[in-house]
Amino acid sequence: MENIKLGKYLFLEEFCTCTKTYAKYSDRINPYPQQPESIEAMKDLNKAIIDPIIDEFGRDRFELTYGFCSRDLKRYLDKKDPISGIKNGRVAPNLDQHLAHELNQKGKYYCSRLGASCDFMIRNLESNQLVDWIIDHHLPFDSLYFYGCDRPIHISYGPQHKRDIWAFTESGKPTKRGIETWLTKVTTAALNKGGE
């Protein structure tokens, strides 16, 4: 399964094993999806968003920090490190699309928005410049989260194609403040597309 190519560049293995939490607990985590639809969603994300970005900036500059989140990985992200007492990571399975089309124990999708998402950065490029490029090139994202110029961005691709953008305060609260230029560009592009 790990040799499945998701697009022109990335393989399923990298997409499922790139987190620090997986590296720390890899002997206890099955990082791979259980639903074939999750793989298809990751392929769609790669073809629509990741491939054009790597085409532009180069494979050697692309750094994936968080891709697919399996049920096992979710469990460990929710746990606290026994030494530091700090949670291994943040996960919002009902919102962030990292679990793609995976089902919970009740047989319901973790995230009803479906699609797939990932977090990444481009080395030697501030993330605000990366967001500029994504918006200017009209990539069909669903949600984009901007955490700061020196942090990875989160981007998803799913059936809603909302092109919704959020920034986050230092305390982790979502805000639209400070990203008005991006919001205006996205709205203008949507209006222009609707008028064609």
Side-chain angles (χ1 to χ4, degrees):
M1 181 186 274
E2 56 270 6
N3 288 329
I4 294 172
K5 203 161 189 191
L6 298 176
K8 293 199 303 196
Y9 303 99
L10 303 186
F11 287 87
L12 184 65
E13 180 178 20
E14 178 182 5
F15 215 77
C16 295
T17 63
C18 62
T19 63
K20 290 177 183 172
T21 303
Y22 174 76
K24 195 172 184 181
Y25 302 103
S26 61
D27 59 327
R28 290 171 255 177
I29 293 175
N30 173 0
Y32 296 107
Q34 303 303 302
Q35 305 302 317
E37 296 84 1
S38 291
I39 296 174
E40 292 310 309
M42 286 182 259
K43 286 180 177 179
D44 291 343
L45 169 67
N46 274 262
K47 289 172 186 161
I49 295 174
I50 304 305
D51 285 355
I53 288 170
I54 295 177
D55 284 344
E56 175 68 18
F57 297 104
R59 178 64 182 94
D60 57 325
R61 294 179 66 195
F62 180 87
E63 183 181 341
L64 185 68
T65 58
Y66 185 14
F68 173 72
C69 179
S70 68
R71 285 167 63 171
D72 282 359
L73 178 59
K74 177 193 169 301
R75 241 187 5 259
Y76 279 91
L77 284 167
D78 280 335
K79 290 184 178 189
K80 289 184 177 177
D81 180 274
I83 297 165
S84 69
I86 298 169
K87 267 180 82 170
N88 288 314
R90 278 193 306 211
V91 63
N94 59 323
L95 296 173
D96 65 21
Q97 295 162 283
H98 281 289
L99 275 106
H101 292 236
E102 297 300 288
L103 303 172
N104 63 24
Q105 291 175 333
K106 296 179 181 175
K108 305 273 187 203
Y109 291 117
Y110 279 98
C111 183
S112 60
R113 293 167 59 198
L114 302 178
S117 67
C118 66
D119 295 19
F120 67 92
M121 59 196 310
I122 301 297
R123 292 184 188 103
N124 303 315
L125 183 74
E126 291 190 347
S127 288
N128 59 316
Q129 294 175 287
L130 174 58
V131 174
D132 284 335
W133 189 90
I134 289 167
I135 293 170
D136 291 345
H137 287 80
H138 308 288
L139 296 191
F141 62 87
D142 190 20
S143 293
L144 191 156
Y145 302 161
F146 174 73
Y147 298 106
C149 291
D150 59 347
R151 305 260 321 270
I153 66 163
H154 166 96
I155 198 162
S156 68
Y157 179 85
Q160 295 176 326
H161 297 304
K162 293 185 313 190
R163 288 176 64 79
D164 194 18
I165 306 173
W166 289 93
F168 286 79
T169 64
E170 287 193 22
S171 62
K173 289 199 167 99
T175 181
K176 298 282 188 178
R177 192 174 278 173
I179 59 169
E180 291 83 4
T181 303
W182 292 337
L183 298 171
T184 301
K185 278 185 181 181
V186 167
T187 303
T188 304
L191 291 171
N192 290 342
K193 192 173 183 184
E196 286 175 2

